Amino acid sequence: MRHRSLFIITTAVTAGALTLSACGSRDDSDGGSSGDGDTTVVIGLDAPLSGDLSALGQGIKNSADLAIKTANKNKEVPGVTFKLEALDDVAQAATGQQNATKFVGNDKVLGVVGPLNSSVGQSMQAVFESAGLVVVSPATTNPSLTQGQAWESGTKKRDFKTYFRTATTDAVQGPFAAQYMYEKKKLKKVYVIDDKKTYGAGLAATFTKEFKKLGGTVVGTDHINPEDKDFSAVASKVANAKADFVYYGGEYPAGGPLASQIKNAGAKIPTVGGDALFSAEYINLAKKNAEGDLASSVGAPLETLDTAKKFIADYEAAGYKDAYEAYGGYAYDSTWAVIQAIKAVAEKNDGKLPASKEARGQIVEAMQNVSFDGVSGKVGFDEFGDTTNKQLSLYEVKNGKHVAVEVGEFKG
């Protein structure tokens, strides 16, 4: 979705432990010695922790917290105790940019995980790039974030070398759904709607291109304001268009009501969308009208992966109030990737982290070579900072729950 998180790193000089030279002086307000002789490294997280998308944001936060607790328990980086500090972006680009500026302004911040939304990611990128501060998102999927604005024409250009992500992009997610609906469901006519936001419009565009390429017909297109609650006008258009299904590029707070109102208008057809619809909250909003609707999501279903069993068990044992949701596994892996990059820099420097500016640069370099078996599968990054894991899934709402109906890779 185009959603996502963030990391602060605070360090202090401690005798006999990993140290940060020069600018790494003690700051009693947010770091320093952890009390056990270790250096404290704060990993900051940026996500929507309140508002309509908070279910996803809280899942991201909890999963990052679990990764940090695991690293501390296992002493993953000798001489370092990690600590999480979370900031709420309310899924707003301006707020996310302000949060990014706060982290960049603190020379103890050495890494970032997040955000959830692609539009928020866009607002943050230049801020982090200017400071050489690494960013790993568990959820942003708009291809332009890593491949440049001209990616669709085949001209890919990485504008922000500090930006990485563990979720695959809409360049494959939209077409994956198009192939399934056309070839497996045998549905040939679609009505396409988007919310005009970076994620939603981009996802709808990649779906539409592939669906037309396959021979499908777009019988109508429309845009909605996701802040609205009444979508009856658009619902009537869909009903009159005699579409076989609706493709919606957007997020569940508007997607659930939209799908419900379309069915109430007489169009008893499924609504299909991306990973931002893959949430229990979508079903809560659409209620019985969610039945038969579909959502694609990044990666394979966590419940089917051996690599995710420990994460799922540990998450449950930790007693978090909120579910890990669609991006929990990817948030854990994003957090772990930052930890591994810091570990690599420490090892390279004989157990010592350099001064802040130098450390930031080395962490970016180390991130490019990070590779490990994560919750979501093999974690690694290509030359654009995109995940090398291209697995995707499609879920259909059956008896009030999302059930996986297709797992694989887009065949482009």
Side-chain angles (χ1 to χ4, degrees), residues 59-320:
I60 289 172
K61 175 188 173 183
N62 293 342
S63 301
D65 178 70
L66 182 60
I68 287 173
K69 288 178 177 176
T70 302
N72 288 338
K73 179 181 178 181
N74 298 342
K75 297 189 180 298
E76 185 67 21
V77 183
V80 168
T81 295
F82 292 97
K83 179 182 177 183
L84 183 69
E85 182 170 324
L87 293 179
D88 183 7
D89 63 29
V90 206
Q92 297 296 319
T95 305
Q97 188 176 64
Q98 291 169 6
N99 291 346
T101 301
K102 289 178 184 178
F103 287 111
V104 165
N106 183 347
D107 63 9
K108 297 170 187 173
V109 177
L110 302 182
V112 173
V113 171
L116 170 70
N117 304 84
S118 291
S119 57
V120 177
Q122 281 183 324
S123 75
M124 289 178 153
Q125 285 184 307
V127 178
F128 290 129
E129 184 75 10
S130 66
L133 187 58
V134 76
V135 185
V136 185
S137 170
T140 54
T141 54
N142 188 281
S144 66
L145 293 171
T146 50
Q147 300 172 22
Q149 295 298 322
W151 69 271
E152 198 166 6
S153 67
T155 304
K156 297 181 180 181
K157 180 177 180 292
R158 187 176 185 181
D159 296 318
F160 304 100
K161 67 179 180 180
T162 58
Y163 199 89
F164 297 80
R165 52 183 160 192
T166 55
T168 195
T169 76
D170 297 332
V172 293
Q173 187 178 188
F176 185 72
Q179 289 185 353
Y180 180 79
M181 298 306 293
Y182 188 88
E183 296 173 350
K184 299 288 182 69
K185 287 287 193 178
K186 307 297 183 182
L187 300 182
K188 311 300 183 184
K189 297 185 295 181
V190 64
Y191 199 107
V192 179
I193 305 170
D194 71 65
D195 62 2
K196 296 187 286 187
K197 294 166 70 173
T198 302
Y199 163 69
L203 184 63
T206 61
F207 169 87
T208 299
K209 182 178 180 180
E210 180 67 16
F211 193 72
K212 287 182 175 179
K213 179 181 175 183
L214 293 169
T217 301
V218 177
V219 296
T221 62
D222 228 312
H223 309 285
I224 65 166
N225 178 353
E227 304 300 322
D228 291 342
K229 302 300 181 185
D230 182 1
F231 304 115
S232 57
V234 174
S236 295
K237 291 181 184 179
V238 173
N240 292 331
K242 307 299 181 184
D244 295 328
F245 69 104
V246 171
Y247 190 85
Y248 174 60
E251 300 155 339
Y252 69 76
L258 173 67
S260 182
Q261 291 175 40
I262 287 171
K263 289 186 174 71
N264 288 339
K268 306 299 184 182
I269 57 177
T271 292
V272 184
D275 52 320
L277 300 191
F278 179 49
S279 171
E281 289 302 308
Y282 177 88
I283 300 172
N284 290 338
L285 290 167
K287 297 182 172 59
K288 290 184 179 180
N289 279 341
E291 285 293 310
D293 289 353
L294 295 100
S296 58
S297 190
V298 296
L302 289 188
E303 295 76 10
T304 68
L305 299 176
D306 289 340
T307 54
K309 288 180 178 178
K310 188 175 188 304
F311 164 77
I312 294 171
D314 289 349
Y315 193 97
E316 182 177 354
Y320 295 114

Side-chain angles (χ1 to χ4, degrees), residues 352-408:
K352 297 181 181 180
L353 289 173
S356 180
K357 184 176 181 179
E358 183 180 353
R360 286 178 172 180
Q362 289 187 24
I363 290 168
V364 172
E365 293 176 5
M367 186 63 71
Q368 192 65 57
N369 297 314
V370 161
S371 179
F372 60 92
D373 292 322
V375 172
S376 61
K378 190 72 175 180
V379 176
F381 305 100
D382 64 16
E383 68 270 30
F384 299 103
D386 286 327
T387 178
T388 53
N389 183 349
K390 307 299 184 184
Q391 282 278 306
L392 293 158
S393 302
L394 270 166
Y395 299 83
E396 184 173 344
V397 180
K398 297 183 178 181
N399 298 318
K401 294 183 179 180
H402 279 111
V403 178
V405 293
E406 184 84 349
V407 180

